[in-house]
Amino acid sequence: MSHFSQIKTKIRNIESLQAALTDLGTDWKSGPVEVRGYQGQTQVADVVIEQENGYDIGFRRNSDTQDYELVADLQYWKQPLTVDGFLNQITQRYAFHTVLNESTRQGFQVAEQQVNQDGSIRLVVQRWNG
């Protein structure tokens, strides 16, 4: 019986996910890499965060939804934040990178970037038509 949990996300772009993890100071490995779990069980993931306790956190693409889901044995979660807090931080940074990438792709440039007291990010982008 597997101890792995799969937590759904709305993350679809692996490069933005990797950039978000890097922003948060998280060491990660690009996959496919095995996620280590209870009693030597493993699952393959596209991005893996190794924990010091030998039980990893992974993100793997769900073939049905095309979203990346978090895969981990939550009994051995050893991060400073809860699972929800961790995913909230990743999701915010992921959204930030997704907006930047799409804006750049459409010819916009960041004119202003501000982190508000509540942790939200305000971006102003502009495009000059000449």
Side-chain angles (χ1 to χ4, degrees):
M1 181 169 152
S2 177
H3 279 240
F4 283 102
S5 296
Q6 291 83 31
I7 299 174
K8 294 179 182 189
T9 73
K10 294 295 180 188
I11 294 172
R12 291 195 164 198
N13 181 290
I14 195 158
E15 290 84 14
S16 292
L17 169 60
Q18 292 167 339
L21 290 169
T22 299
D23 286 354
L24 297 171
T26 303
D27 290 330
W28 55 272
K29 291 183 177 181
S30 185
V33 179
E34 288 188 343
V35 176
R36 300 170 297 168
Y38 180 70
Q39 291 188 334
Q41 295 175 359
T42 62
Q43 291 196 6
V44 177
D46 300 288
V47 174
V48 172
I49 302 160
E50 293 181 343
Q51 298 188 111
E52 290 180 11
N53 65 1
Y55 300 91
D56 305 324
I57 300 165
F59 286 90
R60 72 164 181 220
R61 183 171 284 246
N62 180 314
S63 59
D64 294 334
T65 65
Q66 299 304 307
D67 294 332
Y68 286 89
E69 58 190 12
L70 183 141
V71 178
D73 186 334
L74 299 181
Q75 184 175 344
Y76 298 100
W77 183 266
K78 295 294 181 213
Q79 296 296 308
L81 297 171
T82 64
V83 175
D84 286 341
F86 181 73
L87 282 174
N88 286 341
Q89 278 195 345
I90 290 172
T91 301
Q92 182 191 39
R93 295 307 302 174
Y94 169 81
F96 172 81
H97 283 286
T98 301
V99 168
L100 281 184
N101 293 340
E102 185 61 23
S103 298
T104 301
R105 191 182 71 74
Q106 293 185 24
F108 289 88
Q109 293 179 326
V110 175
E112 184 181 334
Q113 177 180 331
Q114 173 184 335
V115 178
N116 298 319
Q117 285 185 338
D118 66 359
S120 63
I121 301 169
R122 179 176 181 267
L123 279 176
V124 177
V125 295
Q126 63 186 14
R127 175 171 59 184
W128 299 101
N129 293 327

